Amino acid sequence: MIHRPLQMSDKTDGPDGDASILTKTRSKTQRPPLYKVFLLNDDYTPMEFVVHVLERFFGLNHAQAFEIMLTVHKKGLAVVGVFSFEVAETKVAQVMDFARRHQHPLQCTMEKE
């Protein structure tokens, strides 16, 4: 069997005489929603403990952790990070568990951004 190369004249022409072009629509992948994680102020949890929590669970350096702790103390709450649902849920659970084990009423919550 002999194969010959495909010629332009071998293509089917569209209604206006041009060769038809097939386009493939590519669906855009949506990013998953993000969640803000908050620490809430209370009158019993020591400031040093809050700084420790921020360093340990949110990877902040001491200066950053201290600033956020002061914001929590003065304003009643502060966003400590923005994460995917699973990561935010895990961080909230870790902070709450750690606070309970150390007998502190520290509250950590999350909400959709």
Side-chain angles (χ1 to χ4, degrees):
M1 183 183 271
I2 299 173
H3 293 283
R4 66 180 178 84
L6 184 66
Q7 301 292 317
M8 285 297 282
S9 60
D10 294 340
K11 292 184 180 177
T12 332
D13 286 345
D16 47 338
D18 293 307
S20 297
I21 299 172
L22 295 176
T23 57
K24 193 190 321 186
T25 55
R26 191 175 285 185
S27 60
K28 215 173 195 179
T29 309
Q30 278 193 321
R31 291 188 175 207
L34 295 176
Y35 291 79
K36 295 186 270 190
V37 174
F38 296 91
L39 278 185
L40 283 64
N41 189 44
D42 64 72
D43 294 333
Y44 305 101
T45 305
M47 292 180 178
E48 300 80 31
F49 184 81
V50 175
V51 170
H52 178 69
V53 163
L54 291 167
E55 292 170 343
R56 179 173 177 161
F57 297 106
F58 297 95
L60 302 176
N61 66 38
H62 189 76
Q64 293 168 322
F66 192 82
E67 278 299 310
I68 291 176
M69 176 276 298
L70 284 179
T71 301
V72 172
H73 182 68
K74 292 176 183 174
K75 295 188 175 183
L77 81 161
V79 175
V80 295
V82 179
F83 309 96
S84 68
F85 178 81
E86 292 79 10
V87 173
E89 188 177 50
T90 299
K91 292 203 179 279
V92 168
Q94 287 174 329
V95 169
M96 296 293 287
D97 181 57
F98 190 71
R100 296 303 154 264
R101 283 189 282 124
H102 288 85
Q103 300 177 345
H104 293 302
L106 182 64
Q107 293 290 306
C108 186
T109 62
M110 62 188 259
E111 75 177 36
K112 200 170 190 175
E113 190 174 44

